[in-house]
Amino acid sequence: MLDQAQIDRLKRTDAGGFPVLSVYVNLQPGPVSLRNLPARIKDLLAQVEASSESLSRSERLSIREDVHALSRDIGRFGPDLGHGVAVFRSSGAGIDEQFALPGPVRDRAIVESTPYLRPLEAMIEHYQRYCVAVVGRRFGSIFRFSMDQLDTWEEMRDEEIRKANYGGFSGYEEQRVRARADEMAARHYRHVAGRLAELKRSDGGFDLLMVGGSDSHVAGLLEALSPDVADLSAGTFTIDPGTMTPSTVLEHARRVAAEWEVQEESRLVADLFDAAASGGTAVLGLDQACEAVNRRAVEVLYVQAGQITPGSVCADCERVTCETGTVCSACGGSLRGVPDVVDHLSESVRGAGGRVRHILNDGPLAEVEAGASLRYAVAMVDPT
Ligand SMILES: [Zn+2]
């Protein structure tokens, strides 16, 4: 499974001055069909060859070798690799890495001096660790769900409630047996809830919880959760334990997670826009975000995933900017063009102890591309 350690290792890879070709290919059938997959990859590679004309001879040869190597085995790109795939190659530097991705990506090919990792980082940061608890009358099936993968975590089973034979019982007896059954059920819910609280504190833990089962069992477990676990609730789903399989649980988990993420993202973006509107603690737009990042004032950088804008980095003052000239407007140093300005903004934000949050769903942020919440309010510049 994709993890931060793999990304960090790639980041430390030294390409020794050779260009690195990073290729992302979407493998999830959607608006674009998989039938034209080979054509899509060929297009990407043709763009790479065209844009590498300006490189030095040895760099161009390295890229050409990478393009030819990928063209030769276009056939190996298929949905069996995951929802998407990322390939990093530099024949000059001897780099050849491939990652199966847990989610869809935008098709893209980038040539830079280092592997282009922003889509991978966006993916890692986006995947929450969910605990999925399916509860029945006397069992609890607990799963982990993350990166589109569902694994069994624990199976719990409480004592069967003795089958009561109501025939011949008086009304009083029947009531007593029913009360006993309710008490047993409540104890079972408390038992499962207690275990969930332990798992949350355990190594690995989880960020969010979803509960499935019949409506009454779901309600029973939710009621028994301790407040700190109840706070993590991302949603519920109705499932018949009798016909439940790992793949049906996975389908429910995907749906609940997707719904939660849409809500969470729109809440974050709405808060960002509110803060920007009330002045001082947030900025909107790529230029303003650059400016705040360069002042090291960014707490959280919000970027719309999938969008990509070229920019520059100053070799002298390290300023990241959307400017595309050759001279830094701040210090007069020389600007180096970069294919994705947000990638460099993200590095700078993380380096200064801030966080980066990619917004995957289209909303108001898509129109301004980026925004940032700030560590401190910016003094308003007097327009007079
Ligand atoms: Zn500069």
Side-chain angles (χ1 to χ4, degrees):
M1 204 189 293
L2 183 67
D3 63 24
Q4 188 63 46
Q6 290 173 318
I7 294 181
D8 290 342
R9 184 173 55 75
L10 268 174
K11 249 185 213 174
R12 289 192 301 268
T13 306
D14 181 8
F18 282 102
V20 181
L21 171 61
S22 306
V23 180
Y24 289 83
V25 181
N26 189 40
L27 299 175
Q28 182 167 290
V32 269
S33 142
L34 290 183
R35 240 176 318 163
N36 59 4
L37 189 59
R40 273 162 46 205
I41 299 174
K42 272 183 202 150
D43 273 355
L44 283 177
L45 296 177
Q47 286 164 28
V48 167
E49 283 224 276
S51 66
S52 63
E53 293 299 320
S54 59
L55 298 175
S56 75
R57 187 182 139 75
S58 64
E59 291 173 337
R60 215 166 49 236
L61 287 177
S62 172
I63 285 295
R64 185 169 299 167
E65 169 64 38
D66 294 326
V67 166
H68 287 172
L70 284 176
S71 307
R72 272 196 302 275
D73 37 80
I74 273 181
R76 75 189 160 94
F77 292 95
D80 50 312
L81 289 178
H83 297 273
V85 65
V87 180
F88 305 98
R89 278 196 65 108
S90 174
S91 42
I95 298 170
D96 184 7
E97 303 257 7
Q98 178 176 317
F99 294 88
L101 305 179
V105 282
R106 181 166 294 199
D107 287 354
R108 159 177 309 173
I110 297 260
V111 175
E112 236 197 318
S113 54
T114 54
Y116 177 65
L117 300 171
R118 179 154 81 92
L120 285 189
E121 291 186 310
M123 207 163 262
I124 288 259
E125 138 216 318
H126 157 79
Y127 280 98
Q128 303 278 342
R129 297 167 309 155
Y130 288 91
C131 173
V132 183
V134 178
V135 66
R137 188 154 55 96
R138 57 182 192 280
F139 75 91
S141 294
I142 305 177
F143 305 86
R144 292 179 214 252
F145 173 63
S146 187
M147 299 255 177
D148 200 47
Q149 199 172 315
L150 185 84
D151 299 301
T152 296
W153 202 345
E154 213 163 286
E155 286 290 341
M156 300 178 67
R157 201 157 281 279
D158 277 316
E159 281 297 296
E160 168 72 286
I161 302 164
R162 195 166 48 81
K163 285 272 188 311
N165 175 5
Y166 293 107
F169 278 76
S170 67
Y172 171 76
E173 283 287 314
E174 192 181 319
Q175 226 173 36
R176 205 179 57 79
V177 169
R178 196 166 294 279
R180 166 93 181 124
D182 286 349
E183 186 194 313
M184 293 287 281
R187 188 184 302 170
H188 171 57
Y189 300 143
R190 282 198 301 275
H191 185 196
V192 177
R195 189 60 194 138
L196 291 175
E198 286 170 7
L199 289 174
K200 177 184 167 276
R201 288 190 299 268
S202 74
D203 249 13
F206 56 87
D207 307 310
L208 292 164
L209 171 71
M210 48 182 101
V211 175
S214 72
D215 292 348
S216 68
H217 291 311
V218 167
L221 178 58
L222 288 179
E223 210 164 285
L225 292 175
S226 59
D228 59 326
V229 176
D231 280 349
L232 306 181
S233 180
T236 63
F237 57 92
T238 306
I239 193 168
D240 173 8
T243 58
M244 168 177 110
T245 65
S247 72
T248 57
V249 176
L250 176 62
E251 283 311 309
H252 283 289
R254 276 182 182 149
R255 184 181 49 76
V256 172
E259 285 169 7
W260 184 86
E261 280 154 19
V262 168
Q263 281 175 15
E264 172 72 0
E265 287 196 348
S266 64
R267 189 184 63 73
L268 287 173
V269 171
D271 285 355
L272 177 73
F273 276 67
D274 281 352
S278 61
T281 57
V283 294
L284 298 175
L286 203 47
D287 284 320
Q288 288 85 341
C290 283
E291 200 264 331
V293 168
N294 291 326
R295 277 191 293 113
R296 309 210 157 241
V298 173
E299 180 79 51
V300 185
L301 176 69
Y302 295 90
V303 290
Q304 186 69 37
Q307 295 191 7
I308 175 160
T309 303
S312 309
V313 177
C314 176
D316 296 327
C317 70
E318 294 182 350
R319 205 166 65 93
V320 183
T321 166
C322 296
E323 292 164 25
T324 50
T326 52
V327 179
C328 173
S329 65
C331 78
S334 58
L335 289 182
R336 173 173 64 88
V338 293
D340 178 12
V341 71
V342 167
D343 191 37
H344 293 265
L345 286 179
S346 305
E347 276 310 292
S348 182
V349 166
R350 292 195 186 97
R355 289 184 296 124
V356 180
R357 173 78 202 214
H358 286 81
I359 300 297
L360 305 192
N361 298 287
D362 269 351
L365 193 69
E367 281 155 39
V368 295
E369 198 167 344
S373 63
L374 307 178
R375 290 180 205 278
Y376 45 83
V378 184
M380 293 293 280
V381 178
D382 187 349
T384 61

